[in-house]
Amino acid sequence: MVDLEYIAMFLNTLTPKFYVALTGTSSLISGLILIFEWWYFRKYGTSFIEQVSLNHLGPWLGGVENNNNGNNNTNNSQNNNQQSVPECKVWRNPLNLLRGAEYNRYTWVTGKEPLTYYDMNLSAQDHQTFFTCDTDHSRPSDELASVPSAVMQRAWRERNPQARIKAAHEALEKDSECATAYILLAEEEATTILETERLFKQALKVGEANYKKSQSTQHLGAHYEAIHRRDTNVCVYVRRRLAMCARKLGRVKEAVKMMRDLMKEFPMMSVLNIHENLIEALLELQAYADVQAVLAKYDDISLPKSATICYTAALLKARAVADKSFPFASCRFSPEIASKRGLSTAEMNAVEAIHRAVEFNPHVPKYLLETKSLILPPEHLLKRGDSEAIAYAFFHLPHWKRVDGALNLLHCTWEGSPYGESAVGDAPCHAFRMIPYPLEKGHLFYPYPSCTESADRELLPAFHEVSVYPKKELPFFILFTAGLCSVTALLALLTHQFPEPMGLVAKTFLNTITSPFNFLVEKLEGVLPSNLWHQLTRL
């Protein structure tokens, strides 16, 4: 008992300053751990302590044999996951803006860059694929400097916009009928839509002449076929851009005609997704029957989906409920009315269509409901990602606002009924109360991919807060260290302000903790011989 009495005497001699220092140091250390854990979680999406425990301490505690088996199982499962999970493919934004007339204007006004280097690099690769061919490399090196196509190939690779524009002018000096040079100047140098349209018309005049010329010689061999493929790409690209310019300038009917003609003449150029441009223009004309006809053709199970397809289908279904001018829509959707009479067939179809659209891309409603600020859409997008949601909402938000009550129906379906569970019975909209959790399993589409966040961070500018789905819950160790830091900081403050009472509380707490051990030692002293206990205490 001598050692225990010495320990008790030592604890009784501790001053409140010791407890202040102890709790303050504990609070500081736990706070540093909390900051590191939070930084690691924000960057890598997982807890550092949890990761170290699972990857290092777990196998060590489990034994070598279990570790090997675990590694084999882990490798097998990782291989299976890599085979089953589709790669996140980045697509060209069919409604991408003009760099000179739109993106650069935003930079001049705000001083912010709306496009990332990764996005612009993908565009450079697209331009090289679309507007160059293998024959541009096959010339002798002394001739490449004087060939406009070779100059333009160098221009598409340039990182500096001024260097690209300079190379385009250089190509036009060598050949005034270089269509790709006009394309680059229209995209990047023109500062107004009218100037852009003028340059694209010049490119179209040259491009169509080259297309007709190469069309008659494409059967002569692979060399001529590659030239014809390039001329076709140039012609289709310029005509699509001219249709977009007409749409921006208010000549919507002209734009619709140009898009229809383009889709009819080049049905195999579906990679450009011209039908999405057509859908947006038809919605501007409020030609909803024509929009439905386009959806009937492209909203097919064998074709890749997009936010434009899914949400436009939902908009048309919502119009059947929300628009008073629709023949069988007697009033706007109201959860209060629905709670009394139940959901009608049209309302049920609209809710299911919204459910389908949200399952495809759960980021869109936040932008349509204006609970999250919009930015300029990128030149490329990731389907089912935040970049696609921005690109869709940027152009289609006015169409949702134009349909009276459509956003109200989206809001009621997205948020769930504010009148309780009995408001709409067993309607599908109650599944939205659990969003995003049910969508991880995948109901109408494949399970939501986990790679969208990293890809969207590459596509979207740094000043935009990327929408993440599903929301990541804070790891246990972050919550634990936050609680530990808060409690120890509070104890340090109380001990500093009230030293005597807190010292008494600390001593009482320590005596309470040690009392069971003291009781056990006293019982052992009564049972064991005194000489044996003396030998044990000496050890």
Short mmCIF file of all heavy atoms in Angstrom, two decimals, residues 275-329:
data_model
loop_
_atom_site.label_atom_id
_atom_site.label_comp_id
_atom_site.label_asym_id
_atom_site.label_seq_id
_atom_site.Cartn_x
_atom_site.Cartn_y
_atom_site.Cartn_z
N HIS A 275 -29.49 17.13 -81.88
CA HIS A 275 -30.89 17.07 -81.44
C HIS A 275 -31.11 17.83 -80.14
O HIS A 275 -32.21 18.32 -79.88
CB HIS A 275 -31.35 15.62 -81.30
CG HIS A 275 -30.59 14.84 -80.28
ND1 HIS A 275 -29.38 14.23 -80.54
CD2 HIS A 275 -30.86 14.58 -78.98
CE1 HIS A 275 -28.97 13.62 -79.44
NE2 HIS A 275 -29.84 13.81 -78.49
N GLU A 276 -30.07 17.96 -79.30
CA GLU A 276 -30.22 18.73 -78.07
C GLU A 276 -30.31 20.23 -78.38
O GLU A 276 -31.04 20.96 -77.70
CB GLU A 276 -29.07 18.43 -77.12
CG GLU A 276 -29.04 16.98 -76.65
CD GLU A 276 -28.14 16.75 -75.45
OE1 GLU A 276 -27.71 17.76 -74.84
OE2 GLU A 276 -27.89 15.59 -75.11
N ASN A 277 -29.57 20.69 -79.38
CA ASN A 277 -29.74 22.07 -79.84
C ASN A 277 -31.14 22.29 -80.38
O ASN A 277 -31.76 23.33 -80.12
CB ASN A 277 -28.72 22.40 -80.94
CG ASN A 277 -27.29 22.28 -80.46
OD1 ASN A 277 -26.71 21.19 -80.45
ND2 ASN A 277 -26.70 23.39 -80.06
N LEU A 278 -31.65 21.31 -81.12
CA LEU A 278 -32.99 21.42 -81.69
C LEU A 278 -34.05 21.46 -80.60
O LEU A 278 -35.01 22.24 -80.68
CB LEU A 278 -33.23 20.25 -82.65
CG LEU A 278 -34.61 20.19 -83.32
CD1 LEU A 278 -34.86 21.43 -84.15
CD2 LEU A 278 -34.74 18.92 -84.16
N ILE A 279 -33.91 20.63 -79.58
CA ILE A 279 -34.89 20.61 -78.48
C ILE A 279 -34.94 21.96 -77.79
O ILE A 279 -36.02 22.50 -77.51
CB ILE A 279 -34.54 19.49 -77.48
CG1 ILE A 279 -34.84 18.12 -78.08
CG2 ILE A 279 -35.29 19.68 -76.17
CD1 ILE A 279 -34.38 16.97 -77.23
N GLU A 280 -33.78 22.56 -77.54
CA GLU A 280 -33.75 23.85 -76.85
C GLU A 280 -34.40 24.94 -77.70
O GLU A 280 -35.16 25.78 -77.19
CB GLU A 280 -32.30 24.21 -76.53
CG GLU A 280 -32.14 25.32 -75.50
CD GLU A 280 -32.28 26.70 -76.11
OE1 GLU A 280 -31.91 26.87 -77.29
OE2 GLU A 280 -32.79 27.61 -75.41
N ALA A 281 -34.14 24.92 -79.01
CA ALA A 281 -34.74 25.93 -79.89
C ALA A 281 -36.25 25.73 -80.00
O ALA A 281 -37.01 26.71 -80.01
CB ALA A 281 -34.09 25.87 -81.27
N LEU A 282 -36.72 24.49 -80.07
CA LEU A 282 -38.16 24.23 -80.14
C LEU A 282 -38.86 24.65 -78.85
O LEU A 282 -39.99 25.14 -78.87
CB LEU A 282 -38.41 22.75 -80.42
CG LEU A 282 -38.04 22.26 -81.83
CD1 LEU A 282 -38.17 20.74 -81.93
CD2 LEU A 282 -38.92 22.94 -82.89
N LEU A 283 -38.21 24.45 -77.71
CA LEU A 283 -38.79 24.91 -76.45
C LEU A 283 -38.90 26.43 -76.43
O LEU A 283 -39.85 26.98 -75.85
CB LEU A 283 -37.94 24.42 -75.27
CG LEU A 283 -38.03 22.94 -74.94
CD1 LEU A 283 -37.02 22.56 -73.87
CD2 LEU A 283 -39.44 22.57 -74.47
N GLU A 284 -37.93 27.11 -77.04
CA GLU A 284 -38.01 28.57 -77.12
C GLU A 284 -39.21 28.99 -77.96
O GLU A 284 -39.87 30.01 -77.65
CB GLU A 284 -36.72 29.12 -77.72
CG GLU A 284 -36.68 30.62 -77.88
CD GLU A 284 -36.72 31.37 -76.55
OE1 GLU A 284 -36.38 30.76 -75.50
OE2 GLU A 284 -37.09 32.56 -76.56
N LEU A 285 -39.53 28.23 -79.00
CA LEU A 285 -40.71 28.51 -79.81
C LEU A 285 -42.00 28.01 -79.16
O LEU A 285 -43.09 28.24 -79.71
CB LEU A 285 -40.56 27.86 -81.19
CG LEU A 285 -39.47 28.43 -82.12
CD1 LEU A 285 -39.37 27.60 -83.38
CD2 LEU A 285 -39.77 29.89 -82.46
N GLN A 286 -41.88 27.29 -78.04
CA GLN A 286 -43.02 26.68 -77.35
C GLN A 286 -43.74 25.69 -78.27
O GLN A 286 -44.96 25.51 -78.19
CB GLN A 286 -43.99 27.73 -76.84
CG GLN A 286 -43.35 28.73 -75.87
CD GLN A 286 -44.34 29.70 -75.28
OE1 GLN A 286 -45.47 29.33 -74.97
NE2 GLN A 286 -43.93 30.95 -75.12
N ALA A 287 -42.95 25.05 -79.15
CA ALA A 287 -43.50 24.02 -80.04
C ALA A 287 -43.40 22.67 -79.33
O ALA A 287 -42.56 21.82 -79.65
CB ALA A 287 -42.74 24.00 -81.37
N TYR A 288 -44.25 22.47 -78.34
CA TYR A 288 -44.12 21.30 -77.47
C TYR A 288 -44.44 20.00 -78.19
O TYR A 288 -43.88 18.96 -77.86
CB TYR A 288 -45.03 21.48 -76.25
CG TYR A 288 -44.66 22.66 -75.40
CD1 TYR A 288 -45.47 23.80 -75.34
CD2 TYR A 288 -43.48 22.67 -74.67
CE1 TYR A 288 -45.13 24.89 -74.57
CE2 TYR A 288 -43.13 23.77 -73.89
CZ TYR A 288 -43.95 24.87 -73.85
OH TYR A 288 -43.60 25.97 -73.10
N ALA A 289 -45.31 20.04 -79.19
CA ALA A 289 -45.61 18.82 -79.96
C ALA A 289 -44.37 18.38 -80.75
O ALA A 289 -44.07 17.18 -80.84
CB ALA A 289 -46.79 19.06 -80.90
N ASP A 290 -43.65 19.35 -81.31
CA ASP A 290 -42.42 19.02 -82.03
C ASP A 290 -41.34 18.50 -81.08
O ASP A 290 -40.57 17.59 -81.43
CB ASP A 290 -41.91 20.24 -82.78
CG ASP A 290 -42.84 20.66 -83.91
OD1 ASP A 290 -43.59 19.79 -84.39
OD2 ASP A 290 -42.82 21.84 -84.29
N VAL A 291 -41.29 19.06 -79.88
CA VAL A 291 -40.34 18.57 -78.88
C VAL A 291 -40.65 17.12 -78.53
O VAL A 291 -39.75 16.28 -78.41
CB VAL A 291 -40.37 19.46 -77.62
CG1 VAL A 291 -39.49 18.86 -76.52
CG2 VAL A 291 -39.91 20.87 -77.94
N GLN A 292 -41.93 16.82 -78.36
CA GLN A 292 -42.33 15.45 -78.04
C GLN A 292 -41.95 14.50 -79.17
O GLN A 292 -41.53 13.35 -78.92
CB GLN A 292 -43.83 15.38 -77.80
CG GLN A 292 -44.34 14.04 -77.33
CD GLN A 292 -43.74 13.62 -76.00
OE1 GLN A 292 -43.86 14.34 -75.01
NE2 GLN A 292 -43.07 12.48 -75.97
N ALA A 293 -42.05 14.95 -80.42
CA ALA A 293 -41.66 14.11 -81.55
C ALA A 293 -40.16 13.82 -81.55
O ALA A 293 -39.73 12.70 -81.84
CB ALA A 293 -42.07 14.79 -82.86
N VAL A 294 -39.37 14.82 -81.21
CA VAL A 294 -37.91 14.62 -81.12
C VAL A 294 -37.58 13.65 -79.98
O VAL A 294 -36.73 12.76 -80.12
CB VAL A 294 -37.18 15.96 -80.94
CG1 VAL A 294 -35.68 15.73 -80.77
CG2 VAL A 294 -37.43 16.87 -82.13
N LEU A 295 -38.24 13.82 -78.85
CA LEU A 295 -38.00 12.92 -77.71
C LEU A 295 -38.39 11.49 -78.06
O LEU A 295 -37.71 10.54 -77.65
CB LEU A 295 -38.79 13.39 -76.50
CG LEU A 295 -38.29 14.65 -75.79
CD1 LEU A 295 -39.20 14.98 -74.61
CD2 LEU A 295 -36.86 14.48 -75.30
N ALA A 296 -39.47 11.31 -78.80
CA ALA A 296 -39.90 9.97 -79.17
C ALA A 296 -38.84 9.26 -80.00
O ALA A 296 -38.74 8.02 -79.97
CB ALA A 296 -41.21 10.04 -79.95
N LYS A 297 -38.04 10.02 -80.71
CA LYS A 297 -37.00 9.44 -81.55
C LYS A 297 -35.72 9.16 -80.77
O LYS A 297 -35.06 8.14 -80.99
CB LYS A 297 -36.70 10.37 -82.73
CG LYS A 297 -35.67 9.82 -83.70
CD LYS A 297 -35.46 10.77 -84.88
CE LYS A 297 -34.41 10.21 -85.83
NZ LYS A 297 -34.20 11.14 -86.98
N TYR A 298 -35.38 10.05 -79.85
CA TYR A 298 -34.07 9.95 -79.19
C TYR A 298 -34.15 9.45 -77.76
O TYR A 298 -33.13 9.08 -77.18
CB TYR A 298 -33.36 11.32 -79.21
CG TYR A 298 -32.90 11.71 -80.58
CD1 TYR A 298 -33.68 12.53 -81.40
CD2 TYR A 298 -31.69 11.24 -81.08
CE1 TYR A 298 -33.25 12.89 -82.66
CE2 TYR A 298 -31.26 11.60 -82.35
CZ TYR A 298 -32.04 12.42 -83.13
OH TYR A 298 -31.62 12.76 -84.40
N ASP A 299 -35.32 9.45 -77.14
CA ASP A 299 -35.46 8.91 -75.78
C ASP A 299 -35.73 7.42 -75.88
O ASP A 299 -36.78 6.90 -75.48
CB ASP A 299 -36.58 9.62 -75.03
CG ASP A 299 -36.53 9.34 -73.53
OD1 ASP A 299 -35.60 8.64 -73.10
OD2 ASP A 299 -37.42 9.81 -72.82
N ASP A 300 -34.74 6.71 -76.40
CA ASP A 300 -34.86 5.28 -76.63
C ASP A 300 -33.90 4.55 -75.71
O ASP A 300 -32.83 5.06 -75.35
CB ASP A 300 -34.54 4.95 -78.10
CG ASP A 300 -34.82 3.49 -78.43
OD1 ASP A 300 -35.99 3.14 -78.66
OD2 ASP A 300 -33.85 2.70 -78.42
N ILE A 301 -34.28 3.31 -75.35
CA ILE A 301 -33.46 2.56 -74.38
C ILE A 301 -32.10 2.22 -74.95
O ILE A 301 -31.13 2.02 -74.21
CB ILE A 301 -34.21 1.28 -73.95
CG1 ILE A 301 -33.51 0.63 -72.76
CG2 ILE A 301 -34.32 0.30 -75.13
CD1 ILE A 301 -34.27 -0.51 -72.16
N SER A 302 -31.96 2.15 -76.26
CA SER A 302 -30.68 1.79 -76.89
C SER A 302 -29.76 2.98 -77.07
O SER A 302 -28.59 2.80 -77.41
CB SER A 302 -30.93 1.12 -78.24
OG SER A 302 -31.60 2.02 -79.12
N LEU A 303 -30.27 4.20 -76.87
CA LEU A 303 -29.47 5.40 -77.07
C LEU A 303 -29.02 5.97 -75.73
O LEU A 303 -29.72 5.84 -74.72
CB LEU A 303 -30.28 6.46 -77.83
CG LEU A 303 -30.73 6.07 -79.24
CD1 LEU A 303 -31.60 7.16 -79.83
CD2 LEU A 303 -29.53 5.79 -80.13
N PRO A 304 -27.85 6.61 -75.70
CA PRO A 304 -27.38 7.20 -74.44
C PRO A 304 -28.27 8.35 -74.00
O PRO A 304 -28.72 9.15 -74.83
CB PRO A 304 -25.96 7.68 -74.78
CG PRO A 304 -25.94 7.83 -76.26
CD PRO A 304 -26.87 6.78 -76.79
N LYS A 305 -28.53 8.40 -72.71
CA LYS A 305 -29.39 9.45 -72.16
C LYS A 305 -28.57 10.69 -71.84
O LYS A 305 -27.35 10.68 -71.81
CB LYS A 305 -30.09 8.93 -70.91
CG LYS A 305 -31.04 7.77 -71.16
CD LYS A 305 -32.22 8.20 -72.01
CE LYS A 305 -33.19 7.06 -72.22
NZ LYS A 305 -32.65 6.01 -73.09
N SER A 306 -29.29 11.76 -71.56
CA SER A 306 -28.68 13.01 -71.14
C SER A 306 -29.67 13.76 -70.26
O SER A 306 -30.86 13.42 -70.22
CB SER A 306 -28.28 13.86 -72.34
OG SER A 306 -29.43 14.29 -73.05
N ALA A 307 -29.18 14.78 -69.57
CA ALA A 307 -30.08 15.59 -68.74
C ALA A 307 -31.12 16.28 -69.60
O ALA A 307 -32.27 16.45 -69.19
CB ALA A 307 -29.27 16.61 -67.94
N THR A 308 -30.73 16.69 -70.82
CA THR A 308 -31.68 17.35 -71.71
C THR A 308 -32.84 16.42 -72.05
O THR A 308 -34.01 16.83 -72.03
CB THR A 308 -30.97 17.81 -72.99
OG1 THR A 308 -29.92 18.72 -72.64
CG2 THR A 308 -31.94 18.47 -73.94
N ILE A 309 -32.55 15.17 -72.37
CA ILE A 309 -33.60 14.21 -72.71
C ILE A 309 -34.50 13.95 -71.52
O ILE A 309 -35.75 14.04 -71.60
CB ILE A 309 -32.96 12.90 -73.20
CG1 ILE A 309 -32.21 13.12 -74.52
CG2 ILE A 309 -34.03 11.83 -73.38
CD1 ILE A 309 -33.07 13.46 -75.69
N CYS A 310 -33.91 13.63 -70.37
CA CYS A 310 -34.71 13.22 -69.20
C CYS A 310 -35.52 14.38 -68.63
O CYS A 310 -36.71 14.23 -68.32
CB CYS A 310 -33.78 12.64 -68.13
SG CYS A 310 -32.94 11.12 -68.62
N TYR A 311 -34.90 15.54 -68.49
CA TYR A 311 -35.61 16.67 -67.87
C TYR A 311 -36.60 17.32 -68.82
O TYR A 311 -37.61 17.88 -68.38
CB TYR A 311 -34.61 17.69 -67.33
CG TYR A 311 -34.08 17.32 -65.97
CD1 TYR A 311 -32.94 16.54 -65.84
CD2 TYR A 311 -34.73 17.72 -64.81
CE1 TYR A 311 -32.45 16.18 -64.60
CE2 TYR A 311 -34.26 17.37 -63.56
CZ TYR A 311 -33.12 16.60 -63.46
OH TYR A 311 -32.66 16.23 -62.22
N THR A 312 -36.33 17.26 -70.14
CA THR A 312 -37.33 17.78 -71.07
C THR A 312 -38.57 16.89 -71.07
O THR A 312 -39.71 17.39 -71.13
CB THR A 312 -36.74 17.87 -72.49
OG1 THR A 312 -35.58 18.70 -72.47
CG2 THR A 312 -37.76 18.43 -73.46
N ALA A 313 -38.37 15.58 -70.99
CA ALA A 313 -39.52 14.67 -70.86
C ALA A 313 -40.31 14.97 -69.59
O ALA A 313 -41.55 14.97 -69.59
CB ALA A 313 -39.03 13.22 -70.87
N ALA A 314 -39.59 15.26 -68.49
CA ALA A 314 -40.27 15.61 -67.24
C ALA A 314 -41.01 16.94 -67.38
O ALA A 314 -42.11 17.12 -66.83
CB ALA A 314 -39.26 15.67 -66.11
N LEU A 315 -40.40 17.89 -68.11
CA LEU A 315 -41.05 19.19 -68.29
C LEU A 315 -42.36 19.05 -69.06
O LEU A 315 -43.38 19.68 -68.71
CB LEU A 315 -40.10 20.13 -69.03
CG LEU A 315 -40.66 21.51 -69.40
CD1 LEU A 315 -41.06 22.28 -68.16
CD2 LEU A 315 -39.64 22.29 -70.22
N LEU A 316 -42.37 18.23 -70.08
CA LEU A 316 -43.61 18.04 -70.86
C LEU A 316 -44.68 17.35 -70.01
O LEU A 316 -45.87 17.68 -70.12
CB LEU A 316 -43.31 17.22 -72.11
CG LEU A 316 -42.38 17.87 -73.15
CD1 LEU A 316 -42.25 16.99 -74.37
CD2 LEU A 316 -42.87 19.26 -73.53
N LYS A 317 -44.26 16.40 -69.17
CA LYS A 317 -45.23 15.75 -68.28
C LYS A 317 -45.73 16.75 -67.23
O LYS A 317 -46.92 16.74 -66.86
CB LYS A 317 -44.59 14.54 -67.60
CG LYS A 317 -44.21 13.41 -68.55
CD LYS A 317 -45.42 12.72 -69.10
CE LYS A 317 -45.03 11.58 -70.05
NZ LYS A 317 -44.26 10.51 -69.37
N ALA A 318 -44.83 17.59 -66.73
CA ALA A 318 -45.25 18.59 -65.75
C ALA A 318 -46.18 19.62 -66.38
O ALA A 318 -47.08 20.14 -65.71
CB ALA A 318 -44.02 19.29 -65.16
N ARG A 319 -45.98 19.90 -67.65
CA ARG A 319 -46.86 20.86 -68.34
C ARG A 319 -48.29 20.34 -68.40
O ARG A 319 -49.26 21.11 -68.32
CB ARG A 319 -46.34 21.11 -69.74
CG ARG A 319 -47.19 22.08 -70.55
CD ARG A 319 -46.56 22.38 -71.90
NE ARG A 319 -47.45 23.19 -72.71
CZ ARG A 319 -48.35 22.71 -73.56
NH1 ARG A 319 -48.45 21.39 -73.73
NH2 ARG A 319 -49.14 23.52 -74.25
N ALA A 320 -48.43 19.00 -68.51
CA ALA A 320 -49.77 18.41 -68.53
C ALA A 320 -50.51 18.66 -67.22
O ALA A 320 -51.74 18.69 -67.19
CB ALA A 320 -49.67 16.91 -68.80
N VAL A 321 -49.75 18.86 -66.14
CA VAL A 321 -50.36 19.10 -64.84
C VAL A 321 -50.41 20.58 -64.51
O VAL A 321 -51.40 21.10 -64.00
CB VAL A 321 -49.56 18.36 -63.73
CG1 VAL A 321 -50.12 18.66 -62.35
CG2 VAL A 321 -49.56 16.86 -64.01
N ALA A 322 -49.31 21.28 -64.85
CA ALA A 322 -49.15 22.64 -64.34
C ALA A 322 -49.70 23.72 -65.25
O ALA A 322 -50.13 24.77 -64.77
CB ALA A 322 -47.66 22.91 -64.11
N ASP A 323 -49.69 23.51 -66.56
CA ASP A 323 -50.12 24.55 -67.48
C ASP A 323 -51.65 24.58 -67.57
O ASP A 323 -52.29 23.62 -67.97
CB ASP A 323 -49.52 24.30 -68.86
CG ASP A 323 -49.69 25.49 -69.77
OD1 ASP A 323 -50.36 26.45 -69.35
OD2 ASP A 323 -49.15 25.46 -70.89
N LYS A 324 -52.23 25.71 -67.24
CA LYS A 324 -53.69 25.83 -67.25
C LYS A 324 -54.27 25.74 -68.66
O LYS A 324 -55.44 25.38 -68.83
CB LYS A 324 -54.11 27.17 -66.63
CG LYS A 324 -53.77 27.29 -65.15
CD LYS A 324 -54.21 28.63 -64.61
CE LYS A 324 -53.84 28.77 -63.14
NZ LYS A 324 -54.24 30.08 -62.59
N SER A 325 -53.42 26.06 -69.65
CA SER A 325 -53.94 26.03 -71.02
C SER A 325 -53.99 24.64 -71.60
O SER A 325 -54.56 24.42 -72.66
CB SER A 325 -53.05 26.91 -71.93
OG SER A 325 -51.74 26.39 -72.01
N PHE A 326 -53.40 23.67 -70.90
CA PHE A 326 -53.43 22.30 -71.42
C PHE A 326 -54.84 21.74 -71.28
O PHE A 326 -55.51 21.99 -70.28
CB PHE A 326 -52.42 21.44 -70.64
CG PHE A 326 -51.94 20.25 -71.40
CD1 PHE A 326 -50.95 20.39 -72.36
CD2 PHE A 326 -52.48 19.00 -71.18
CE1 PHE A 326 -50.50 19.28 -73.06
CE2 PHE A 326 -52.03 17.90 -71.87
CZ PHE A 326 -51.04 18.04 -72.83
N PRO A 327 -55.33 20.97 -72.23
CA PRO A 327 -56.75 20.60 -72.24
C PRO A 327 -57.25 19.94 -70.97
O PRO A 327 -58.32 20.29 -70.48
CB PRO A 327 -56.84 19.64 -73.44
CG PRO A 327 -55.71 20.06 -74.33
CD PRO A 327 -54.62 20.50 -73.42
N PHE A 328 -56.49 18.98 -70.41
CA PHE A 328 -57.04 18.28 -69.25
C PHE A 328 -56.38 18.69 -67.95
O PHE A 328 -56.40 17.97 -66.98
CB PHE A 328 -56.90 16.75 -69.43
CG PHE A 328 -55.50 16.30 -69.73
CD1 PHE A 328 -54.60 16.03 -68.70
CD2 PHE A 328 -55.08 16.14 -71.04
CE1 PHE A 328 -53.32 15.61 -68.98
CE2 PHE A 328 -53.80 15.71 -71.32
CZ PHE A 328 -52.91 15.44 -70.29
N ALA A 329 -55.75 19.85 -67.93
CA ALA A 329 -55.14 20.36 -66.69
C ALA A 329 -56.03 21.47 -66.15
O ALA A 329 -56.03 22.58 -66.66
CB ALA A 329 -53.73 20.88 -66.95
#
